[in-house]
Amino acid sequence: MSVLKLEEYRQQIRTELDRVVDFWLKHSHDTEYGGFFTCIGRDGKVYDELKYVWLQGRQVWMYCRLYRTMERFRRPEILEAAKAGGAFLRNSGGSGGSGGDSWKCAFCLTRDGKAVKVQRTIFSECFYVLALDELSRVTGDVDMQAEAEQMLQQLVHWVRVDPSGLGRLRLPGDVPTSSMAVPMMLLCLVQQLMEGRGQEAEQRHGELGAWCVQQILQHVQRGGKAVLENVSAEGAELPGCQGRLQNPGHALEAGWFLLQYAAQRGDGELQRTAVDTFMELPYQQGWDQEHGGLFYFLDVDGHCPTQLEWSMKLWWPHCEALISFLMAYRRTGNPLLLHRFAQIFQYTFSHFSDAEHGEWFGYLTREGKVALDFKGGPFKGFFHVPRCLHMCELILDELLAGEGR
């Protein structure tokens, strides 16, 4: 592929990132109570004032990452919005946000920050850690960074020692399972907290990072021919629909997490696994040959998945695929991987991007028609799209500067 084509991709991605940032700057800020509206319609109108802690944390992280790593986003309004979002998060959704002195975070809040719902998972807390650590990097607030470290230790305790603090009932027929989302998310936090902090951070978090990688690799089943979303606590395949479930987008996201980890440690074998097993395999199994795009869920044995949205095309798997294949091309130089990126780019930009109002639609039918036209909701906020565009722009900068591998 020519340098001219790579430059064309970079310019399109740069322009799109600017439009996405402008959309959220314009429509999502709650100047009265703090934090961010995320239930935003196609044209930017707020249709529900509930606030979701996952998305509060993600937006703080994204604003800070843009502010810290891209000169054109080093703007006072972005920093101030991130600081205000962080304050809302700590006051409302953070430790104790579910009531009492617990480290458990809320999942959903009223507009003014009162807890509405708590999930019995670790993910609100994970995005709380991401937000506080990245915000501490741009503000220099050492207490905030220390709180992020303390929350991570609580997460590790829940996952590896005693999950009772999550509030889940232990039922007699409930077999312990390993969801790939858990070690993936913890690995993401390890990489966040270790970034640029040298040997001290390696000593503090290196063992956890290695454990996360080992846990993720247990999801490679069927002799290396399938990545399954759920396995037993011992790393064996589970019976039934739960055990046969595949999520191509999630596997692709795990792929670039593993590729980053492999690059940091010079691990060639893990790099090959990341590319061949967590990128190529989910792409080949998950790409819809008839209509294009990635299926949301699959059944490894070819049964119809029980998830009603299984055949839909969602925004975030395509974001993860773009990051994965461009990063893999940068690391390997294999032109097939750049071809994959180009194919996914063409589908994604022609189907999800809204030329009229800005930002991306999130939910398409199998045929690629818009099914839900809002730009933000309980799970779609200012995260997957800007993270994808931000990372792809930086990778293309390196490729065009001759720093590819």
Side-chain angles (χ1 to χ4, degrees):
M1 188 174 291
S2 69
V3 170
L4 187 62
K5 188 63 177 176
L6 291 177
E7 179 58 53
E8 182 182 324
Y9 283 135
R10 179 168 68 174
Q11 189 54 51
Q12 285 184 257
I13 286 170
R14 181 186 177 97
T15 299
E16 191 74 358
L17 179 56
D18 289 347
R19 294 178 72 240
V20 168
V21 171
D22 288 346
F23 182 93
W24 289 90
L25 285 172
K26 181 178 180 181
H27 299 298
S28 71
H29 296 181
D30 184 351
T31 56
E32 183 175 355
Y33 290 101
F36 310 108
F37 297 116
T38 58
C39 294
I40 299 176
R42 179 182 181 185
D43 59 359
K45 291 186 175 66
V46 175
Y47 64 84
D48 194 321
E49 293 181 348
L50 290 175
K51 294 173 179 174
Y52 295 87
V53 171
W54 289 26
L55 304 186
Q56 301 297 309
R58 286 169 164 182
Q59 190 155 346
V60 171
W61 180 87
M62 195 71 246
Y63 274 159
C64 293
R65 182 56 63 114
L66 290 169
Y67 182 88
R68 186 166 67 88
T69 61
M70 286 185 161
E71 186 66 36
R72 72 184 187 275
F73 295 118
R74 203 156 295 157
R75 292 151 45 185
E77 65 267 31
I78 290 178
L79 178 58
E80 291 307 310
K83 289 163 67 175
F88 178 83
L89 190 61
R90 295 179 87 184
N91 291 334
S92 304
S95 56
S98 58
D101 298 322
S102 168
W103 281 94
K104 196 77 189 74
C105 292
F107 170 70
C108 180
L109 306 166
T110 61
R111 182 182 176 185
D112 59 354
K114 297 182 179 68
V116 174
K117 180 180 178 180
V118 175
Q119 287 185 320
R120 296 181 177 93
T121 66
I122 65 168
F123 302 114
S124 288
E125 295 77 17
C126 287
F127 294 115
Y128 186 82
V129 172
L130 278 183
L132 262 59
D133 185 76
E134 191 67 21
L135 184 56
S136 76
R137 291 173 183 269
V138 298
T139 62
D141 188 328
V142 294
D143 291 336
M144 191 180 295
Q145 203 275 322
E147 185 180 346
E149 293 276 1
Q150 290 171 343
M151 180 66 90
L152 176 61
Q153 295 310 308
Q154 180 62 62
L155 290 170
V156 172
H157 178 78
W158 284 333
V159 171
R160 299 180 67 178
V161 180
D162 178 11
S164 62
L166 295 173
R168 287 200 297 262
L169 293 175
R170 302 296 295 269
L171 301 174
D174 186 17
V175 178
T177 62
S178 171
S179 164
M180 192 165 67
V182 171
M184 279 180 62
M185 197 66 239
L186 290 180
L187 181 59
C188 179
L189 298 185
V190 166
Q191 292 175 325
Q192 170 73 33
L193 293 171
M194 288 179 60
E195 182 190 344
R197 293 195 171 118
Q199 190 59 35
E200 181 182 350
E202 174 66 36
Q203 291 173 352
R204 186 182 302 122
H205 301 301
E207 185 276 333
L208 176 59
W211 179 85
C212 292
V213 169
Q214 182 268 334
Q215 290 290 307
I216 293 169
L217 293 177
Q218 286 187 345
H219 290 260
V220 179
Q221 297 286 327
R222 306 281 178 106
K225 299 300 183 184
V227 179
L228 301 180
E229 193 70 10
N230 305 294
V231 295
S232 75
E234 296 74 31
E237 186 171 339
L238 294 166
C241 297
Q242 182 186 27
R244 297 194 304 268
L245 183 66
Q246 294 181 288
N247 183 330
H250 218 197
L252 284 157
E253 185 179 20
W256 71 259
F257 285 10
L258 294 172
L259 188 56
Q260 280 189 327
Y261 185 92
Q264 291 160 358
R265 287 157 178 76
D267 189 333
E269 181 179 355
L270 182 59
Q271 175 172 298
R272 285 188 293 274
T273 299
V275 175
D276 295 344
T277 306
F278 284 85
M279 296 181 189
E280 266 296 294
L281 193 59
Y283 168 84
Q284 291 171 7
Q285 294 171 341
W287 188 260
D288 184 347
Q289 297 296 332
E290 183 177 356
H291 298 288
L294 291 162
F295 288 116
Y296 194 34
F297 290 112
L298 295 170
D299 182 296
V300 70
D301 286 337
H303 299 289
C304 179
T306 57
Q307 290 76 13
L308 301 182
E309 71 276 26
W310 76 267
S311 65
M312 292 179 70
K313 312 296 166 59
L314 270 65
W315 84 106
W316 69 263
H318 296 79
C319 290
E320 305 311 322
L322 288 169
I323 297 169
S324 291
F325 284 111
L326 192 60
M327 186 185 292
Y329 173 71
R330 182 187 66 181
R331 298 301 309 171
T332 68
N334 182 346
L336 174 63
L337 300 171
L338 190 56
H339 174 74
R340 299 283 194 234
F341 169 82
Q343 183 182 28
I344 296 160
F345 183 96
Q346 191 282 326
Y347 181 88
T348 301
F349 275 69
S350 63
H351 286 77
F352 289 102
S353 179
D354 182 359
E356 182 178 356
H357 294 287
E359 240 285 343
W360 290 15
F361 301 111
Y363 303 86
L364 311 180
T365 66
R366 179 181 177 184
E367 295 75 21
K369 304 297 184 183
V370 175
L372 307 173
D373 72 355
F374 56 73
K375 298 299 173 50
F379 296 99
K380 183 181 185 294
F382 185 69
F383 184 63
H384 286 100
V385 175
R387 182 176 70 168
C388 167
L389 298 171
H390 166 264
M391 291 184 68
C392 287
E393 182 179 334
L394 292 179
I395 294 170
L396 286 163
D397 284 346
E398 294 177 359
L399 287 167
L400 288 163
E403 302 174 5
R405 297 177 297 284

